[in-house]
């Protein structure tokens, strides 16, 4: 089995941007990762019956997508799966090329 390696692009220093622009790029990348995770988590909950202990029924089915979205956001806030870092790196590269 081979070791995991980090791309050299991820290790290079970020170009100097204003703090506000850098924060927006980071937030956008994290939002993208949360959206991706939400889409990946949704199939896990499809087909689950909602007649459990609390008898969720139709209301539980209705609000389930909000629960999945929040689970994805919390996963990203806890470090995520690394997708936001890669997206952020690519966004910074694109911005560098535009300058």
């Amino acid at each position: 089995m081979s070791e995991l390696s980090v791309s050299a692009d991820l290790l290079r220093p970020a170009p100097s941007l204003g703090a506000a622009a850098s924060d927006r790029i980071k937030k956008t990348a994290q939002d993208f990762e949360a959206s991706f995770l939400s889409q990946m988590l949704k199939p896990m909950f499809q087909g689950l019956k909602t007649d459990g202990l609390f008898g969720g029924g139709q209301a539980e089915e209705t609000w389930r997508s909000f629960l999945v979205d929040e689970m994805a956001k919390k996963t990203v806030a806890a470090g995520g799966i690394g997708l936001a870092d890669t997206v952020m790196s690519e966004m910074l590269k694109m911005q560098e090329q535009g300058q």
Side-chain angles (χ1 to χ4, degrees):
M1 201 146 110
S2 66
E3 291 185 43
L4 294 174
S5 62
V6 177
S7 169
D9 289 337
L10 291 175
L11 297 176
R12 70 180 166 81
S16 59
L17 294 172
S22 182
D23 289 344
R24 278 190 311 232
I25 288 174
K26 183 176 182 177
K27 171 93 171 81
T28 301
Q30 289 175 336
D31 289 346
F32 177 80
E33 182 175 4
S35 177
F36 173 80
L37 285 174
S38 178
Q39 292 300 313
M40 294 298 108
L41 290 172
K42 281 182 184 177
M44 288 179 23
F45 293 92
Q46 289 176 348
L48 290 179
K49 300 207 184 289
T50 59
D51 57 353
L53 189 58
F54 299 106
Q58 183 64 32
E60 186 175 333
E61 286 182 34
T62 302
W63 294 99
R64 185 176 287 159
S65 67
F66 291 100
L67 173 66
V68 172
D69 289 343
E70 284 303 312
M71 290 164 88
K73 288 177 188 174
K74 291 297 182 185
T75 301
V76 171
I81 60 172
L83 183 60
D85 295 335
T86 304
V87 170
M88 187 171 156
S89 174
E90 289 300 315
M91 289 173 73
L92 290 170
K93 261 197 265 184
M94 288 171 49
Q95 189 157 13
E96 266 181 6
Q97 291 171 353
Q99 291 178 348

